[in-house]
Amino acid sequence: MIYINGSAVDFQMISRRYPQRGIEYSCASALSGSDTAYRYGSIDELDFELAARHAIVDRAERLRRCGLSFQTFRSAVCNDRYWVRRADGGFEVRRGASPSAAIRDIYENGRMYGTECATAMQLVY
């Protein structure tokens, strides 16, 4: 159930705010139908959470499609134009490289990368 400013909100009332086949709509529907109480101080807070959930799903889907492979830390690989692979298998942005360009490169050239799921989760977030 969704509560806004202390009052229960009917899903039909808020469903018009979101595209019917969109992530926000699906999430709002799931939150509304849940036995758990989801409390927001305003509709803007709900909108923010649903937009964040949409972005997480979108980035996860993009990461799935980019060709990145899952590896152990020992087998991790990266594009050395942007990253330095540390001895522990972690990636460090190469000195002089733009961190945002380095992250974009993973999504654009995913086949050059292999990492474990903890790093992949950080890329999504």
Side-chain angles (χ1 to χ4, degrees):
M1 175 62 74
I2 296 175
Y3 293 86
I4 296 177
N5 209 14
S7 299
V9 177
D10 179 52
F11 175 69
Q12 296 305 317
M13 185 179 90
I14 62 170
S15 67
R16 294 181 214 106
R17 298 177 65 84
Y18 314 108
Q20 194 166 16
R21 288 188 168 76
I23 297 295
E24 293 94 338
Y25 184 95
S26 296
C27 288
S29 176
L31 296 175
S32 279
S34 174
D35 291 335
T36 302
Y38 294 91
R39 299 180 188 281
Y40 304 91
S42 69
I43 192 74
D44 290 339
E45 287 182 16
L46 173 62
D47 286 344
F48 178 84
E49 179 172 329
L50 295 177
R53 289 173 181 246
H54 177 111
I56 291 166
V57 170
D58 178 65
R59 293 303 182 261
E61 182 60 29
R62 287 181 59 198
L63 194 61
R64 183 187 67 79
R65 289 191 315 256
C66 81
L68 176 134
S69 65
F70 286 94
Q71 307 288 334
T72 63
F73 267 122
R74 282 188 220 148
S75 304
V77 293
C78 57
N79 182 350
D80 62 8
R81 178 176 177 200
Y82 293 100
W83 300 94
V84 174
R85 184 187 175 281
R86 298 188 326 233
D88 66 3
F91 301 162
E92 187 174 318
V93 176
R94 184 169 292 287
R95 178 175 233 117
S98 161
S100 59
I103 291 171
R104 269 194 308 275
D105 186 65
I106 295 170
Y107 284 92
E108 293 168 3
N109 297 300
R111 285 177 172 39
M112 297 178 76
Y113 293 86
T115 190
E116 46 33 84
C117 62
T119 298
M121 288 172 51
Q122 293 304 308
L123 291 168
V124 167
Y125 288 113

